[in-house]
Amino acid sequence: MRVAADAASAAAQLTAAAPGERLALVDPRFVGHRHALRLALKDPRFDAAALPGVLGLAPGTRRTLPDGLTGGPDEAARALEGAGVAVHRPELGVLVAGVPDGEAARAQAASAVAAVDDERVRLRSAVKSRDGFFTTFCISPYSRYLARWCARRGLSPNQVTTASLITALIAAACAATGERSGFVAAGVLLIASFVLDATDGQLARYDLQYSKLGAWLDATFDRAKEYSYYAGLALGAARGGDDVWALALGAMLLMTARHTVDFSFNEANAGGPDTATGANTSPTAALSGRLDSTGWTVWARRMIILPIGERWALIAVLTAATTPRITFVALLIAGAFAACYTTAGRLLRSLTRRAPRTEAAAEAVRALTDSGPAAELCARALHAVRLPRFGPPAVALLGTAVILATAWAAPLGSLWPVLAAVLYLLCTGLSLASPLRGPLDWLLPPLFRIAEYGTLLVLAARSSADGALPAAFGLVAALAYHHYDAVYRIRGGTGAPARWLVRAVGGHEGRTLVVTIAAALWLGGNSHTQGFIFALTALAVVIAALVLTESIRFWVSSQAPAVHDETGEPA
């Protein structure tokens, strides 16, 4: 810390400061809480942040400061805003921050500082303002203290996130033993993993340790933990003579599809008049806002949607007390109810929405479809076709129904699923031929997820090949990672994955066609079913290698934003 005697000395010290250092300008008369200073000076998400008498600057923003400043941090902040630099001004709530004028005002400010325990405020602000019932009342009251313990020992959120992943993988390994003691240990460890999962975000907020890598780890590890646990349960059931791989794959399909509904709906409605003004243009949204003012309905609605806390608690308790089959059946029933509830609400909001969707929102929805070169070619060929208002989702629904029904009913080894996949490709291209600005066009991504994952599930379940369902589970896991990675890139403001990657992994319509061709080649008789398993495994390995390599390169690069999930959406 350097103290400048006057404005000229301050200017000289600014010039002499190392160019790679984050800079803090603090008026020596400042009176306020220590945590208020942290919010202005330490948060890496903002290039510039200010309080009365305080200015924090990232290295790149320092170059924007004009020469000859004489008025201290407040003048510097106004100069930055005049130059077009966004200056973040943290919400302090009950915290105090100011530059008192005179001894009486200074004493009054010091008294106000003493009256508020900023450590208690800091702990409270470490918890998300909006979260599920189980997390809010059963985890966060304790995990926030664990977050403080980690901060005082120099642990990073990434280390806690990794510990959560390792704990969940050990839980999956315990479940895979197939023993009752293993199931009990798995349930306990799954809850422990969730405690750590809550702690990493609270640590990031408590100590303002937001990072590029942390955003990626926190966003994707939840799915890796959950789906690994599904696999562990399926392996444990198999040891006891019960094959539940189809249920495990169904649970993964259901969770991914309902999350895709949430993500696609949110992207379709981003950036419009509602977002800018905070107004509800949908009567359904207005009703939801009124319900939010009634406390018990808020928690009931948050529990109904089965967020991650409630979901993991359900899985953990049922694992310890029952069997993997009962666990999956209960999860599927609860998840299906939650999916119907959330999707119905989104449909009503969309049908009654009056504000138009933006071009950026339409492009985001198109990116979430994960359509490959075959669909692109078909869309260009059919660009002159103009579908009615609800045409794109209707055509996509038709293609999805045809491919799933054919995979279910057609004789194994026949060409009917291949022909259905070709029709599905044409439906995909036709639904994408126009800009996706219709009220229900956000349904395309979840419909395509259901079609692709469902085709894999049905064909693998119908085959008599040992190992077909585990191979299909591995392939869907790789695809789910790819799709979640795309979601979190878009949510982070960095755009969808590169088109070369989407083309390299074939797009959903191309992969569906390849899987049906593999089924036609190797599921017609019992003697060659291993070829189908090999095809699914090879496809999973290739896709996982491409997607993971590009994902890791992207998230550790400078392109990724230094953010943490603050939406409060309980995934």
Side-chain angles (χ1 to χ4, degrees), residues 124-131 136 205 299 302 566-568:
R124 187 169 61 245
S125 63
V127 179
K128 278 183 179 180
S129 59
R130 183 182 186 277
D131 220 326
T136 299
R205 288 182 285 273
W299 295 116
R302 290 187 191 179
E566 294 295 331
T567 64

Side-chain angles (χ1 to χ4, degrees), residues 332-344:
L332 285 167
I333 292 172
F337 181 80
C340 291
Y341 172 81
T342 55
T343 304

Side-chain angles (χ1 to χ4, degrees), residues 31-33 96 107-118:
V31 176
H33 285 100
V96 176
Q108 185 178 4
S111 177
V113 170
V116 176
D117 184 350
D118 78 332

Side-chain angles (χ1 to χ4, degrees), residues 494-506:
T494 56
R499 287 304 303 169
W500 72 262
L501 178 64
V502 177
R503 294 188 180 103
V505 297

Side-chain angles (χ1 to χ4, degrees), residues 264-331:
S264 184
F265 174 81
N266 289 337
E267 290 303 324
N269 291 281
D274 299 18
T275 306
T277 64
N280 285 323
T281 60
S282 160
T284 308
L287 174 61
S288 178
R290 288 194 295 272
L291 287 175
D292 282 342
S293 63
T294 307
W296 70 269
T297 66
V298 173
W299 295 116
R301 289 160 63 214
R302 290 187 191 179
M303 293 176 70
I304 286 173
I305 65 174
L306 201 67
I308 187 170
E310 277 74 359
R311 191 164 68 249
W312 282 27
L314 174 70
I315 295 170
V317 171
L318 291 179
T319 298
T322 64
T323 66
R325 179 172 291 274
I326 292 175
T327 301
F328 279 124
V329 170
L331 179 63

Side-chain angles (χ1 to χ4, degrees), residues 447-468:
L447 285 173
F448 294 155
R449 295 298 86 75
I450 293 170
E452 182 180 11
Y453 297 2
T455 300
L456 272 166
L457 169 59
V458 171
L459 290 175
R462 290 188 63 203
S463 78
S464 58
D466 292 334

Side-chain angles (χ1 to χ4, degrees), residues 13 87 95 101 115 124-125 166 172 198 229 259 274-275 295 373 439 458 464:
Q13 291 190 28
V87 178
L95 296 177
D101 187 12
R124 187 169 61 245
S125 63
I166 293 171
Y229 193 82
H259 286 153
D274 299 18
T275 306
V458 171
S464 58

Side-chain angles (χ1 to χ4, degrees), residues 403-404 406-408 410-413 417 453-465 468-469 472 512 515-520 523 532 536:
I403 186 63
L404 291 179
T406 307
W408 180 269
L412 287 176
Y453 297 2
T455 300
L456 272 166
L457 169 59
V458 171
L459 290 175
R462 290 188 63 203
S463 78
S464 58
L469 277 168
T512 302
V515 168
T516 56
I517 292 173
L523 291 185
F532 182 67
L536 296 186

